[in-house]
Amino acid sequence: MVSWRRSASWLSSASRSSLGGAVGGEAKVTPEVDPAAQEVVVEEEVDEERWSRLLPELLTEIVRRVDAGAERWPLRRDVVVCACVCRRWRDAAFSVVRPPLEGGRITFPSSLKQPGPRDAPMHCFIRRDKKNSTFSLHLSLTQALMDKGKFLLAARRFRQGAHTEYIISYDYDDLHPGSTSYIGKLRSDFLGTKFIIYDSQAPYDGAKPSRSRSSRRFASKQISPQVSGGNYEVGQVTYKFNFLKSRGPRRMQCSIQCPVGQGTASDPSEEKTPARNSLDLKNKAPRWHEHLQCWCLNFHGRVTVASVKNFQLVATAGSGGPWGVGDEETVILQFGKIEDDAFTMDYRQPLSAFQAFAICLTSFGTKLACE
């Protein structure tokens, strides 16, 4: 993802301080500076200041037209570029671009922790690399089950004693505990039947970070100056035991903390919900097909290979009221296999891409006590 550039004022002040001579009566020796390099800095400063001084109405209209003309990636890269010009352009972009809940599009990294679309699911897919124990989440760019895709998130599986952890990151090449791209993690118990989802940011006002030893493995400065150093529990996923080996697929239940609503595309660290709102999910029960002699679910063509990992999640009775998803027929998250190491992931509000990805990661791995 594109990172924000520093403003022209910071650049000019930094260059002036490095070129200054005597300060406070104390003589200092400064290195010689190429005049041509000075001219380049001055030209960039003047150019950025010219763009930042546009009338607010004109600036908003420019960003609005760029946003309207970029329905899908890679064209939406232009919207991110607009937000990288300076602080004023960034604020204008955030005021124009609608969050996934309303616009149905993922634009900024903050969109990955905001609720998905309200009317139709967001189509994504997951690629698995068994050699490196890594998983990558991609946004589908076409109606095909899997295309080149837009990279969104990545995760790597680690063994921590008797437990398994999945470190989730913005960067596929930076998947280590304490990385600067870290945004959350998933931790399982010894049997791999209970998972806890942790977020690097507080999900609501007053949330307290976990006190587990693993959550204090690194300080906030090791992660990012803008990201909290704590891990906040935002959900649990539990697979029911099947000691009697009765016929049927895996049975799972989820409890996820979800915001009731977000109206802008700004940084989620500045948008905390006032209270805890928990959504309870369960897997939709499949039906037994007598002719095929197997358990079946209607994935509407989005899943093509039979697998014990395939599932659909719906809200339990009385749980989805605040979000309008109380109907047990409304599929909030579905996950299924299409190739040996490729799976589709379709989610909608109130789940975010980060939460949906973490839930799907729990399906990987053998669960002998649940099958």
Side-chain angles (χ1 to χ4, degrees):
M1 306 300 290
V2 181
S3 58
W4 305 115
R5 294 193 301 173
R6 297 184 184 271
S7 63
S9 61
W10 179 91
L11 180 61
S12 60
S13 62
S15 60
R16 283 196 297 269
S17 63
S18 63
L19 298 176
V23 179
E26 183 177 298
K28 294 183 179 181
V29 179
T30 59
E32 294 184 359
V33 179
D34 186 0
Q38 284 183 284
E39 293 179 2
V40 172
V41 172
V42 172
E43 288 179 0
E44 290 182 353
E45 176 184 348
V46 172
D47 185 56
E48 290 197 2
E49 288 184 353
R50 183 188 303 119
W51 284 104
S52 64
R53 290 174 180 173
L54 289 176
L55 292 174
E57 297 80 4
L58 179 59
L59 175 57
T60 302
E61 181 63 18
I62 292 174
V63 177
R64 187 190 66 79
R65 293 192 179 189
V66 174
D67 177 64
E71 288 290 330
R72 292 178 175 270
W73 291 86
L75 294 179
R76 291 206 64 76
R77 185 187 307 163
D78 298 336
V79 182
V80 180
V81 171
C82 286
C84 294
V85 173
C86 64
R87 182 73 182 187
R88 287 190 63 218
W89 281 69
R90 178 185 179 183
D91 294 339
F94 279 149
S95 66
V96 170
V97 177
R98 307 316 302 164
L101 178 66
E102 301 175 13
R105 296 188 294 263
I106 291 178
T107 305
F108 304 112
S110 58
S111 303
L112 300 176
K113 288 193 176 182
Q114 293 175 333
R118 178 184 293 111
D119 300 326
M122 187 80 76
H123 289 173
C124 306
F125 61 90
I126 297 174
R127 288 195 178 104
R128 175 179 60 180
D129 187 344
K130 293 181 180 179
K131 294 181 180 179
N132 300 324
S133 298
T134 57
F135 308 83
S136 57
L137 176 66
H138 303 259
L139 177 67
S140 297
L141 303 180
T142 65
Q143 296 300 321
L145 289 179
M146 191 173 67
D147 47 34
K148 184 178 180 180
K150 162 64 178 174
F151 172 80
L152 298 179
L153 293 172
R156 173 172 290 174
R157 182 168 53 207
F158 293 89
R159 192 70 181 178
Q160 296 290 339
H163 304 273
T164 300
E165 287 190 358
Y166 293 79
I167 302 300
I168 304 176
S169 169
Y170 286 122
D171 191 347
Y172 186 86
D173 297 320
D174 194 6
L175 287 165
H176 301 281
S179 71
T180 57
S181 302
Y182 169 86
I183 66 167
K185 71 174 184 178
L186 179 71
R187 180 178 173 85
S188 75
D189 63 357
F190 174 73
L191 296 176
T193 57
K194 182 178 181 179
F195 296 81
I196 300 178
I197 303 173
Y198 294 96
D199 195 332
S200 62
Q201 296 171 330
Y204 56 90
D205 290 336
K208 297 181 179 180
S210 171
R211 295 184 179 181
S212 64
R213 181 177 299 177
S214 61
S215 68
R216 299 193 299 269
R217 196 166 45 239
F218 39 81
S220 59
K221 292 183 179 179
Q222 292 179 281
I223 303 173
S224 172
Q226 293 81 25
V227 178
S228 170
N231 281 315
Y232 299 85
E233 183 177 337
V234 295
Q236 293 187 5
V237 181
T238 305
Y239 288 82
K240 291 187 176 182
F241 289 102
N242 185 16
F243 292 115
L244 300 179
K245 298 298 180 180
S246 59
R247 294 202 312 171
R250 296 173 176 173
R251 293 178 296 169
M252 58 189 296
Q253 291 182 339
C254 306
S255 179
I256 307 294
Q257 296 175 19
C258 303
V260 175
Q262 292 179 340
T264 66
S266 59
D267 191 339
S269 63
E270 301 176 0
E271 290 185 1
K272 307 215 175 37
T273 54
R276 176 176 178 174
N277 298 281
S278 181
L279 173 69
D280 295 327
L281 302 173
K282 65 178 182 179
N283 64 300
K284 189 175 182 180
R287 63 182 181 86
W288 177 256
H289 198 291
E290 290 293 343
H291 178 69
L292 298 177
Q293 290 294 298
C294 64
W295 297 96
C296 296
L297 278 172
N298 185 6
F299 288 96
H300 301 282
R302 292 285 296 163
V303 177
T304 58
V305 180
S307 173
V308 69
K309 298 178 177 62
N310 300 345
F311 66 80
Q312 290 181 331
L313 293 184
V314 297
T316 59
S319 172
W323 304 275
V325 292
D327 179 12
E328 294 189 11
E329 294 300 319
T330 302
V331 176
I332 298 175
L333 171 64
Q334 74 173 21
F335 172 79
K337 191 173 184 178
I338 54 176
E339 293 180 4
D340 286 343
D341 293 307
F343 307 80
T344 57
M345 186 195 88
D346 303 338
Y347 75 98
R348 62 192 305 164
Q349 68 103 12
L351 291 182
S352 66
F354 164 73
Q355 292 171 332
F357 185 41
I359 294 174
C360 291
L361 288 174
T362 67
S363 185
F364 294 100
T366 304
K367 299 173 176 58
L368 297 178
C370 304
E371 301 168 1

